[in-house]
């Protein structure tokens, strides 16, 4: 893509700003800020990746993955604001999900141990785990309000904290996995996913692009399930006080 063609894509931003002004949505500043920030971030990442792909230094690859996990942890952890140590548990969950998923891909020789494969696929895996974690925490906060009576009744009948909150955890885990499952059901029919589209535009065979997309979708399904279950198991005690009383997050 030429620089002129790239610059011409700003017409889409102009349309968004125009609609915001027309409908008095007040989003013009956010749209412009997001446009500038995303462009700078992507250009910076492009230069960094170009250097790393050229050197193939594994320590640099590991550093990039640490940064990805840290940013994803910060973003998802904000959904559990008010819960003590939530950032620690979200970080551990995303890290374990990444290690297990990438470990299996490398152990089974599905992808080679090179920066060109490890970084992009890790980025998608970590991003998916971040979204699942955010959805899980959002749903848990809603459940803490709507299911408070249910949990307190179970506690009063002698249930342990884990037993009392079990149904909340199940509902939240199921809710956090819905986008991933729905995406698997409709992939190729409603939309062509980003990785597949990118490979086709870059000149790869559609069948080759499909094979890689199947890899990503299956890895996403596994990582989504692993993320939701791990976060549920590690964080359920955060919803209870030191004396075992149920706590509701109002933030």
């Amino acid at each position: 893509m030429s620089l002129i063609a790239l610059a011409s894509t700003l017409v889409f931003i102009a349309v968004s700003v125009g609609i915001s002004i027309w409908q008095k949505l007040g989003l013009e500043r956010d749209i412009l800020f997001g446009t500038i920030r995303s462009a700078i971030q992507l250009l910076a990442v492009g230069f960094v990746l170009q250097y790393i792909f050229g050197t193939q230094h594994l320590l640099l690859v590991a550093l990039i993955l640490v940064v990805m996990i840290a940013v994803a942890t910060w973003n998802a952890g904000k959904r559990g604001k008010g819960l003590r140590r939530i950032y620690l548990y979200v970080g551990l969950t995303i890290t374990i999900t990444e290690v297990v998923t990438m470990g299996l891909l490398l152990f089974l020789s599905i992808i080679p141990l090179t920066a060109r494969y490890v970084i992009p696929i890790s980025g998608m895996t970590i991003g998916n785990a971040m979204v699942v974690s955010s959805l899980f925490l959002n749903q848990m906060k809603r459940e803490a309000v709507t299911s408070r009576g249910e949990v307190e009744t179970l506690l009063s009948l002698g249930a342990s904290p884990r037993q009392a909150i079990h149904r909340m955890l199940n509902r939240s885990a199921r809710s956090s996995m819905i986008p991933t499952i729905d995406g698997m059901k409709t992939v190729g029919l409603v939309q062509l996913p980003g990785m597949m589209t990118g490979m086709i535009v870059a000149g790869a065979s559609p069948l080759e692009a499909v094979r890689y997309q199947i890899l990503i979708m299956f890895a996403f399904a596994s990582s989504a399930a692993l993320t939701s279950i791990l976060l549920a198991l590690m964080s359920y005690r955060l919803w209870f006080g030191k004396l075992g009383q149920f706590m509701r997050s109002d933030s």
Side-chain angles (χ1 to χ4, degrees):
M1 179 184 291
S2 66
L3 291 177
I4 295 177
L6 181 61
S8 66
T9 59
L10 290 174
V11 69
F12 298 109
I13 302 302
V15 170
S16 300
V17 171
I19 291 175
S20 177
I21 295 173
W22 174 39
Q23 293 296 318
K24 296 182 174 61
L25 301 177
L27 296 175
E28 305 91 278
R29 184 175 179 179
D30 289 336
I31 293 172
L32 292 175
F33 178 74
T35 300
I36 296 171
R37 178 172 174 174
S38 61
I40 293 175
Q41 288 176 178
L42 288 173
L43 287 172
V45 168
F47 283 115
V48 170
L49 292 182
Q50 186 173 15
Y51 173 76
I52 292 176
F53 290 171
T55 62
Q56 293 295 333
H57 203 298
L58 292 181
L59 286 179
L60 291 177
V61 174
L63 178 61
I64 288 292
L65 297 185
V66 169
V67 171
M68 288 180 175
I69 292 173
V71 174
T73 298
W74 176 256
N75 188 67
K78 290 188 293 185
R79 304 295 181 179
K81 185 179 180 181
L83 296 173
R84 63 190 187 283
R85 299 194 304 277
I86 188 60
Y87 288 100
L88 171 63
Y89 292 130
V90 170
L92 284 174
T93 296
I94 294 177
T95 300
I96 293 173
T97 299
E98 160 64 7
V99 170
V100 171
T101 302
M102 190 54 56
L104 286 173
L105 291 174
L106 294 173
F107 177 75
L108 297 174
S109 299
I110 297 175
I111 63 171
L113 183 57
T114 61
R116 187 173 296 275
Y117 284 89
V118 171
I119 292 177
I121 294 178
S122 291
M124 288 184 281
T125 301
I126 294 169
N128 186 58
M130 176 188 70
V131 172
V132 171
S133 298
S134 297
L135 292 173
F136 177 86
L137 292 174
N138 274 340
Q139 183 62 30
M140 279 296 291
K141 292 177 79 172
R142 287 192 290 267
E143 291 281 345
V145 176
T146 60
S147 302
R148 186 176 182 82
E150 172 189 337
V151 174
E152 291 181 339
T153 299
L154 290 171
L155 288 173
S156 66
L157 293 174
S160 66
R162 183 169 178 176
Q163 290 171 330
I165 206 174
H166 180 72
R167 293 180 63 183
M168 280 178 55
L169 295 174
N170 278 357
R171 289 192 292 264
S172 298
R174 287 170 59 89
S175 177
S176 67
M177 291 183 62
I178 286 176
T180 302
I181 295 173
D182 285 350
M184 293 180 68
K185 292 178 180 178
T186 60
V187 64
L189 298 177
V190 177
Q191 64 173 343
L192 295 180
M195 182 175 186
M196 179 178 171
T197 302
M199 291 184 66
I200 292 175
V201 171
S205 163
L207 292 179
E208 182 181 5
V210 165
R211 288 198 293 269
Y212 275 99
Q213 191 58 54
I214 290 174
L215 159 65
I216 295 302
M217 292 302 299
F218 289 177
F220 273 15
S222 172
S223 64
L226 185 59
T227 298
S228 61
I229 296 303
L230 282 176
L231 191 54
L233 292 176
M234 281 196 266
S235 68
Y236 80 90
R237 289 189 178 275
L238 302 184
W239 299 92
F240 297 90
K242 294 181 179 180
L243 301 178
Q245 74 278 20
F246 184 63
M247 299 170 57
R248 184 178 67 190
S249 175
D250 296 315
S251 57

